[in-house]
Amino acid sequence: YLNLKLKPNNMSLRKVQQVIKPRPHHYVGDGFRVHNFIPAVSYLSMQRMSPFLLLDYGAEFYFPPAEKPRGVGVHPHRGFETVTIAYKGKIAHYDSTGAGGIIEEGDVQWMTAASGILHKEYHENNWAKQGGNMQMVQLWVNLPAKDKMSEPKYQAITNSMMAKHSLPENAGFIEVISGSYKNAKGPAFTFTPVNLMNAKLNKGGKSDFSFPADYNSGLLVIEGEIKINDSEVAPVNNFVLFENTGEDFTLEALENSIVLIMSGEPINEPIASQGPFVMNTRDELMQAFNDFYNGKFGFLED
Ligand code: MN
């Protein structure tokens, strides 16, 4: 019989621009031991990676038992969204709208800070008492100017809510948080097109992806080791930046692997960023600091 496994001849390859090793870690508060990729790596500026403004990656790390949960105390955000993914461990959060909850393993918290929010992020109480391995990601996703001062809100996305696309030949599956993979559509609401998904691939498993060429795209190897486009190899904890020249790329898992894939439509607006605020102009940044110091972000007990 004929195995007609032809690649479409209109396939436009999206080439790898760079495979990027993690920089030395730093601590956010005392609970999040992270490697920053966006924007500290020169290839990964806020403009280059728009709408992704920040990527902090907490590679797997053992925290010994603690009576008082480690974490980061009350702080503000304005002008964007924070997306927190727990791969290992449990993260508790509370914010000034009265919302709060626990991000369990495999879950995602998508918080729209927009006009302003105060929040705090800690290891979950009981988890902290026992200690354990923590592995997490925090992404900041920009908002277009017209939505920066919209109402803050919050989406708790449990793992079971995510759309799953099973891959043929026992290759594994794609778990969609936002945007889409083939017919699987992620549950997260986004203000601009943002594709965010985990590829959970068995050793030898292959998958293919296609995003518009102008979407800024990258991936983070959470577990295992992968080969991209039958060419570049990326080991665990490395970030892969793609060029914007084509649409399609392929992954092959060299080990059982988990890969976080991100691809978003750039927001082509000026970025004025300082600390926890990301606005369009210096004046708006000053306003954010003034509003924060004048208590306009609400109240949250430490
Ligand atoms: Mn925060």
Side-chain angles (χ1 to χ4, degrees):
Y1 92 114
L2 279 175
N3 185 4
L4 292 172
K5 214 175 166 186
L6 301 172
K7 276 184 179 170
N9 57 15
N10 62 350
M11 180 178 171
S12 69
L13 186 71
R14 183 190 287 271
K15 289 185 187 154
V16 169
Q17 181 176 333
Q18 193 76 24
V19 177
I20 299 166
K21 291 187 187 72
R23 288 158 40 93
H25 72 264
H26 71 274
Y27 272 87
V28 178
D30 65 357
F32 300 100
R33 182 188 182 276
V34 300
H35 303 269
N36 179 268
F37 284 96
I38 306 172
V41 174
S42 62
Y43 293 100
L44 304 176
S45 70
M46 289 181 173
Q47 285 79 11
R48 169 66 182 88
M49 295 310 291
S50 174
F52 307 108
L53 298 167
L54 176 140
L55 171 59
D56 271 346
Y57 171 49
E60 187 167 1
F61 183 77
Y62 176 74
F63 285 92
E67 273 309 305
K68 189 176 176 293
R70 298 176 176 90
V72 53
V74 176
H75 60 279
H77 292 293
R78 173 181 283 180
F80 60 97
E81 303 181 286
T82 66
V83 179
T84 306
I85 309 171
Y87 288 97
K88 295 210 164 94
K90 289 185 189 180
I91 302 163
H93 63 94
Y94 309 93
D95 70 49
S96 50
T97 70
I102 295 163
I103 311 168
E104 307 265 354
E105 287 191 5
D107 294 352
V108 174
Q109 181 216 29
W110 198 298
M111 187 185 83
T112 305
S115 64
I117 208 165
L118 299 176
H119 78 159
K120 53 185 179 180
E121 302 156 272
Y122 283 98
H123 297 178
E124 190 272 331
N125 240 314
N126 290 323
W127 187 89
K129 282 194 172 71
Q130 292 172 8
N133 285 8
M134 175 71 66
Q135 186 180 24
M136 52 76 68
V137 161
Q138 189 166 90
L139 261 176
W140 291 6
V141 178
N142 206 2
L143 290 171
K146 68 175 178 51
D147 297 314
K148 279 187 180 289
M149 293 302 283
S150 63
E151 196 72 11
K153 64 173 185 162
Y154 161 78
Q155 300 173 75
I157 301 165
T158 61
N159 192 267
S160 64
M161 291 163 66
M162 295 173 196
K164 312 284 199 305
H165 176 94
S166 291
L167 299 166
E169 296 168 15
N170 195 33
F173 63 96
I174 311 296
E175 181 179 273
V176 188
I177 301 164
S178 74
S180 58
Y181 181 81
K182 303 194 193 280
N183 290 325
K185 201 179 170 315
F189 168 84
T190 64
F191 288 80
T192 59
V194 178
N195 295 290
L196 190 64
M197 59 195 72
N198 287 308
K200 299 193 166 173
L201 303 175
N202 298 319
K203 184 175 177 175
K206 292 181 178 178
S207 56
D208 57 273
F209 298 85
S210 185
F211 303 112
D214 67 323
Y215 282 27
N216 293 324
S217 304
L219 60 81
L220 181 64
V221 184
I222 302 294
E223 240 176 78
E225 184 170 52
I226 57 161
K227 189 185 263 187
I228 307 108
N229 295 336
D230 292 320
S231 158
E232 289 83 3
V233 171
V236 69
N237 301 340
N238 277 228
F239 185 88
V240 176
L241 171 64
F242 288 98
E243 291 183 357
N244 292 62
T245 45
E247 297 178 341
D248 312 317
F249 63 91
T250 62
L251 300 185
E252 177 187 355
L254 303 178
E255 303 292 338
N256 290 340
S257 298
I258 299 177
V259 185
L260 175 65
I261 293 152
M262 60 196 80
S263 180
E265 183 180 79
I267 298 172
N268 292 317
E269 295 174 345
I271 295 173
S273 158
Q274 196 172 330
F277 306 128
V278 184
M279 305 303 290
N280 299 108
T281 67
R282 294 296 307 170
D283 281 356
E284 289 166 353
L285 269 188
M286 292 303 112
Q287 188 67 51
F289 279 100
N290 281 332
D291 288 351
F292 171 59
Y293 291 125
N294 290 319
K296 292 187 180 163
F297 281 57
F299 178 75
L300 181 63
E301 213 169 312
D302 227 330

